Amino acid sequence: MVLTKEYRICMPMSVEEYHIGQLYMIARHSLEQSGDGEGVEVIENRECLDDKHGKGQFTEKRIHLSSRLPYWIQSVIPKIFYVTEKSWNFYPFTITEYTCSFIPRFNISIETKYDNNNGCTENCLGLTPEKLVDRTVDYIDIAYDEVSAKHYKEEEDPRFFQSRKTQRGPLVEGWRNNFQPIMCSYKLVHASFEVFGLQTKVEDFIHSCIREVLLLGHRQAFAWIDEWIDMTMEDVRTYEANLQKQTNSLLKQAETPITAADGGGSSTLVGNDGGGDNGIFNNTLGITPPETPKSPVKKGYFSGWF
């Protein structure tokens, strides 16, 4: 039985504004969390065309992360491996898929629809009656749901933050009922890990990671609004391309024999989003973004599935 949840995350901005903020956030996080042979490697980022959804952006990433998994997952996978993320961004609709070549029965799929409302649409993603029965809805409040203590930063707390450029915030309790502008990310997540004895534990773990990442990432996207609110789409695509080059460079630097000499495993690189929905093991191990991302902060993974 595949574990399916629909997460609904409201943001104090419009769908059009979030398009820029999403791309900015993902590019910045990917750089901050890459280095030492682990992190997010951008394989492909190009335009795509779909008969139903029209023109979009396709991205493919490899998320190198073997040393950062819980011991009970490390025990069943190779020490060096990567998760492949493929995403199709037809904003305001996106599709993201995660697979692992070493674990054929591991799969995560995420469908996202962004809408200018407060999460009140009952079936925004157009699910069939059969799928609606299996769906669990989880509302995430970026201001009043608690992040873990190790992730908390007062300057990123929407209960206290106020944007200098837009004057939005602080967000008071019940803000989702009367704040304008407001939008909602509707994210349908299917998590499947069909390995006997581990399926339930791993699928629960996946969703716990996803919820924490969604909460933390959306809080930060709002807290960083003054950095991206004046960007155009051309500006943010240029920013994204520049940071992707830096991200891949950090991973390739780690292909030297240095780690092997230290007794550790060397990284095997076989070679994105906003574009896409962005990640499972883009974990929540403590993201601490600098004001200007000049060097990576090796604390977790945070790819493009927002």
Side-chain angles (χ1 to χ4, degrees), residues 269-290:
L269 303 184
V270 191
N272 153 314
D273 140 297
D277 229 349
N278 314 318
I280 158 186
F281 296 114
N282 303 350
N283 212 326
T284 56
L285 305 183
I287 301 162
T288 310

Side-chain angles (χ1 to χ4, degrees), residues 38-291:
E38 295 200 343
V40 181
E41 178 189 15
V42 181
I43 303 300
E44 190 173 5
N45 188 355
R46 59 172 172 81
E47 286 191 354
C48 61
L49 189 64
D50 180 82
D51 292 340
K52 179 179 179 181
H53 302 292
K55 183 182 293 186
Q57 194 79 9
F58 170 78
T59 63
E60 180 177 347
K61 298 178 181 178
R62 287 174 183 164
I63 305 167
H64 301 263
L65 72 172
S66 57
S67 70
R68 302 192 180 191
L69 302 177
Y71 73 91
W72 46 271
I73 291 184
Q74 292 187 40
S75 66
V76 297
I77 63 170
K79 288 185 178 295
I80 302 169
F81 88 116
Y82 58 84
V83 172
T84 297
E85 173 191 285
K86 294 183 179 181
S87 57
W88 296 262
N89 183 4
F90 305 99
Y91 200 86
F93 176 73
T94 67
I95 303 170
T96 309
E97 296 178 353
Y98 297 89
T99 56
C100 177
S101 59
F102 296 106
I103 311 174
R105 295 185 178 182
F106 164 79
N107 180 270
I108 298 173
S109 65
I110 304 171
E111 294 181 38
T112 304
K113 181 72 180 294
Y114 307 96
D115 208 349
N116 284 312
N117 60 48
N118 67 349
C120 59
T121 304
E122 180 55 31
N123 190 12
C124 183
L125 289 158
L127 303 182
T128 64
E130 293 76 17
K131 290 183 177 180
L132 285 173
V133 171
D134 295 331
R135 177 198 65 175
T136 300
V137 177
D138 187 345
Y139 293 89
I140 296 178
D141 187 332
I142 65 168
Y144 290 89
D145 284 1
E146 292 186 6
V147 296
S148 60
K150 62 184 177 182
H151 300 147
Y152 179 80
K153 296 174 70 175
E154 184 173 339
E155 62 269 27
E156 294 176 353
D157 190 332
R159 296 174 301 173
F160 309 121
F161 169 77
Q162 184 175 44
S163 164
R164 298 187 307 276
K165 293 184 178 180
T166 68
Q167 300 304 307
R168 298 175 200 173
L171 302 182
V172 300
E173 193 150 12
W175 68 275
R176 291 179 295 176
N177 296 325
N178 49 38
F179 197 95
Q180 290 295 328
I182 192 168
M183 60 151 286
C184 183
S185 298
Y186 294 83
K187 309 187 80 66
L188 188 70
V189 181
H190 304 273
S192 175
F193 188 81
E194 299 178 11
V195 176
F196 180 75
L198 286 174
Q199 180 171 2
T200 299
K201 189 172 186 178
V202 172
E203 290 178 1
D204 286 342
F205 168 73
I206 290 169
H207 276 283
S208 68
C209 288
I210 287 173
R211 195 185 199 284
E212 179 76 1
V213 170
L214 289 174
L215 175 58
L216 183 63
H218 283 78
R219 284 165 66 101
Q220 290 178 323
F222 176 46
W224 296 347
I225 190 171
D226 289 338
E227 301 177 35
W228 56 259
I229 192 65
D230 294 327
M231 285 185 170
T232 64
M233 181 58 66
E234 183 179 358
D235 292 335
V236 78
R237 286 297 185 190
T238 299
Y239 175 85
E240 178 185 50
N242 290 337
L243 265 63
Q244 285 176 359
K245 290 178 182 177
Q246 295 179 56
T247 298
N248 283 4
S249 176
L250 287 168
L251 284 164
K252 286 179 169 58
Q253 287 172 15
E255 290 184 279
T256 65
I258 294 175
T259 53
D262 289 340
S266 60
S267 180
T268 306
L269 303 184
V270 191
N272 153 314
D273 140 297
D277 229 349
N278 314 318
I280 158 186
F281 296 114
N282 303 350
N283 212 326
T284 56
L285 305 183
I287 301 162
T288 310
E291 291 185 5

